[in-house]
């Protein structure tokens, strides 16, 4: 059990972030379904997996609020974009989303620090590192998709080669609520 949070601002902001993470998860499901319908199974698989990761992020934040004896309020989410003009658009949207989340996560860390809530600031450190990786991954993918947009099989091969499946368990990751 963590010490009670010293400020109302951080839990409130973290609750908002839970909504953004669930919205990101829904957006990635929508992107995966789009690629699935286009018979681009590797891109689809990649985004289905990203969707699960975003859900985990939300559930890690839920667990943190529960452990801190703060209210965890599960929000509704804004509907995702479900139609896309071409093979590039979903990845461009994904990169935009990851950049926005990086700013939100940095803002959360700053809010915790300002409140003198170093436990929460430390909790945010894992997400800061995660966002650096996710922005880098989406930037790389966007470059590949733009370069090979007329040759989707080239993109599929890249995703199969560079993102073959489950990354190993990250022992430093916070625990998602309800996970084994
Ligand atoms: Fe996330
Ligand atoms: Fe993400």
């Amino acid at each position: 059990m963590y010490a009670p949070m010293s400020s109302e601002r951080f839990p409130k902001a973290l609750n908002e972030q839970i909504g953004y993470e669930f919205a990101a998860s829904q957006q990635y499901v929508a992107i995966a379904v789009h690629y699935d319908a286009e018979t681009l199974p590797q891109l689809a698989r990649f985004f289905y997996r990203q969707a699960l990761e975003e859900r985990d992020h939300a559930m890690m934040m839920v667990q943190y609020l529960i452990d801190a004896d703060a209210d965890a309020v599960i929000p509704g989410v804004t509907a995702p974009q479900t139609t896309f003009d071409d093979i590039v658009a979903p990845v461009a949207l994904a990169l935009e989303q990851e950049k926005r989340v990086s700013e939100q996560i940095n803002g959360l860390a700053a809010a915790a620090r300002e409140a003198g809530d170093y436990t929460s600031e430390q909790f945010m450190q894992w997400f800061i590192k995660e966002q650096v990786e996710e922005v880098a991954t989406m930037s790389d993918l966007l470059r590949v998709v733009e370069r090979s947009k007329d040759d989707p099989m080239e993109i599929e091969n890249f995703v199969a080669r560079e993102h073959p499946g489950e990354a190993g368990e990250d022992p430093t990751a916070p625990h998602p609520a309800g996970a084994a």
Side-chain angles (χ1 to χ4, degrees):
M1 183 68 67
Y2 300 99
M5 289 182 190
S6 48
S7 149
E8 282 305 298
R9 195 173 143 218
F10 182 82
K12 192 169 169 288
L14 192 60
N15 262 304
E16 277 167 24
Q17 191 62 36
I18 289 169
Y20 301 144
E21 300 292 335
F22 277 127
S25 182
Q26 293 285 86
Q27 184 60 72
Y28 285 155
V29 171
I31 291 173
V33 166
H34 167 79
Y35 283 136
D36 229 345
E38 299 283 317
T39 320
L40 295 163
Q42 295 297 335
L43 279 166
R45 190 181 48 82
F46 173 80
F47 279 102
Y48 284 128
R49 206 170 53 238
Q50 290 302 124
L52 292 177
E53 282 189 19
E54 300 303 347
R55 182 185 181 279
D56 272 353
H57 296 165
M59 296 306 275
M60 288 168 186
M61 293 170 184
V62 169
Q63 183 70 61
Y64 183 77
L65 288 172
I66 291 170
D67 286 345
D69 251 338
D71 284 339
V73 183
I74 305 306
V77 300
T78 326
Q81 187 177 328
T82 54
T83 57
F84 302 95
D85 289 341
D86 56 27
I87 197 170
V88 176
V91 183
L93 180 68
L95 177 57
E96 224 174 86
Q97 177 171 280
E98 292 299 342
K99 285 181 174 169
R100 191 170 59 243
V101 169
S102 293
E103 281 171 24
Q104 291 162 347
I105 295 290
N106 288 337
L108 277 161
R113 179 177 295 192
E114 276 163 34
D117 180 356
Y118 299 112
T119 308
S120 296
E121 188 190 350
Q122 194 183 335
F123 172 67
M124 294 315 299
Q125 293 307 310
W126 183 84
F127 293 93
I128 291 172
K129 176 184 68 81
E130 176 76 3
Q131 280 313 119
V132 171
E133 286 169 17
E134 295 205 338
V135 168
T137 298
M138 288 303 172
S139 299
D140 286 354
L141 184 59
L142 182 59
R143 221 167 289 128
V144 170
V145 171
E146 277 174 342
R147 190 169 59 219
S148 302
K149 56 177 178 288
D150 299 322
D151 187 3
M153 281 309 113
E154 190 63 33
I155 301 168
E156 287 281 279
N157 289 338
F158 171 85
V159 175
R161 195 172 62 239
E162 297 297 319
H163 302 286
E166 298 298 306
E169 281 289 292
D170 174 357
T172 68
H175 182 79

